[in-house]
Amino acid sequence: MENNFFTIGQVCKVCGISRSTVLRLESRGLLDPAHCDEQSGYRYYDNHNINKILQIKAFQEMGLQYDDIKDFYDSEGNSAVFIKKLAHIVSASKRALEEMKLRSNNKNHLSCELIDLPDYICFARSFTGKDLTDKYNDMYGLCHEAYTKGYRMIASEPLFILTPYDEFFKAAPDGKDMHYTCCMPVEPDCASDETTLISGGKALSVLYYGNNIYAIKEITSLIDEKLQELNLKRKDVVRGLCLVAPYMGREIKPDKFVSRIIVPVEE
């Protein structure tokens, strides 16, 4: 038996995990020892166990949770839910990489692609304001309220503002208020009377590095060209995301912003 099996200590060393992690995998139904000694109670593991632990570890490093991983194994690798979550993680990682590349190049950049927006449960509030400063202050206040109430945010999904398309880049005319909704995506099990479902679907995603106030014509022209090219019709509401990295601090120059403007389209 000693030639065919490994002790829990050996498994921990090979896989780079703790004994408590191995036992946790067993308690969650993700791991079954290859052999248990009835007299001593010692657990023994084989190559298959170690390979599975390493795969589970890789899934966790991608951001998948224990329940997601168990669904993968229970379905023998055919879980549509698992595939959807993994695709979402890959998409979020791709977006983050693209945004970081823009900052590192430190050049104005504009790109557009067709994406699939997921449904989000959001902690949301509707506001009125006259300019972008009002939007920023309202969003900042919403963040503070959500954090205070203990809502769990989705780490990979930034907060966003829903605004009518024609008003997205504009200050309110003649001193009149604009209407917009600030949204913070939260974990699905945080749904409450204060949250709302923001439906997904097809959308154009425009990524811009720099102060987008000075690129309004360029951005709207790109959107119109892409809509015509793909024979799509836009919806009236736009999602605006100002992707400000925490490492940049509190005071950030507008020309250092990375913005993602998402325009839902009719399917």
Side-chain angles (χ1 to χ4, degrees), residues 62-196:
M62 293 178 193
L64 292 157
Q65 305 299 313
Y66 281 127
D67 289 343
D68 302 324
I69 299 169
K70 190 172 189 308
D71 183 46
F72 171 81
Y73 286 113
D74 288 347
S75 67
E76 297 183 343
N78 293 314
S79 169
V81 174
F82 180 90
I83 292 172
K84 183 177 180 180
K85 288 189 176 182
L86 184 56
H88 180 70
I89 290 171
V90 171
S91 177
S93 298
K94 179 184 175 183
R95 292 199 310 268
L97 178 60
E98 187 178 5
E99 292 151 14
M100 291 177 70
K101 282 184 176 180
L102 287 184
R103 287 194 177 95
S104 63
N105 291 335
N106 201 30
K107 294 180 180 179
N108 285 9
H109 174 82
L110 185 65
S111 64
C112 183
E113 64 176 331
L114 188 64
I115 64 171
D116 289 304
L117 281 175
D119 295 340
Y120 289 125
I121 300 295
C122 291
F123 181 71
R125 292 281 188 275
S126 295
F127 298 96
T128 57
K130 293 181 172 57
D131 53 31
L132 293 175
T133 300
D134 288 341
K135 287 184 178 181
Y136 175 84
N137 290 335
D138 290 331
M139 182 59 85
Y140 190 91
L142 182 75
C143 287
H144 185 79
E145 182 182 356
Y147 298 155
T148 300
K149 292 185 175 181
Y151 281 98
R152 291 197 311 282
M153 306 297 119
I154 300 178
S156 63
E157 299 304 320
L159 45 85
F160 57 90
I161 293 178
L162 299 178
T163 312
Y165 184 88
D166 293 335
E167 296 182 3
F168 184 74
F169 294 107
K170 299 177 182 178
D174 302 322
K176 295 181 181 179
D177 285 332
M178 294 184 293
H179 301 277
Y180 48 89
T181 302
C182 299
C183 306
M184 293 192 68
V186 300
E187 295 289 351
D189 61 358
C190 287
S192 71
D193 294 339
E194 294 182 308
T195 60
T196 185

Side-chain angles (χ1 to χ4, degrees), residues 13-75:
K13 184 176 182 179
V14 170
C15 297
I17 58 177
S18 65
R19 184 177 186 277
S20 61
T21 298
V22 175
L23 298 179
R24 188 179 303 114
L25 292 177
E26 292 184 22
S27 68
R28 288 181 174 270
L30 283 166
L31 187 67
D32 292 317
H35 176 74
C36 288
D37 189 299
E38 294 182 0
Q39 293 185 343
S40 65
Y42 288 164
R43 293 170 166 81
Y44 295 94
Y45 306 85
D46 60 13
N47 290 351
H48 296 291
N49 290 136
I50 290 177
N51 291 337
K52 187 174 184 180
I53 291 171
L54 291 173
Q55 185 177 49
I56 291 171
K57 186 177 178 181
F59 283 147
Q60 288 181 298
E61 290 174 351
M62 293 178 193
L64 292 157
Q65 305 299 313
Y66 281 127
D67 289 343
D68 302 324
I69 299 169
K70 190 172 189 308
D71 183 46
F72 171 81
Y73 286 113
D74 288 347
S75 67

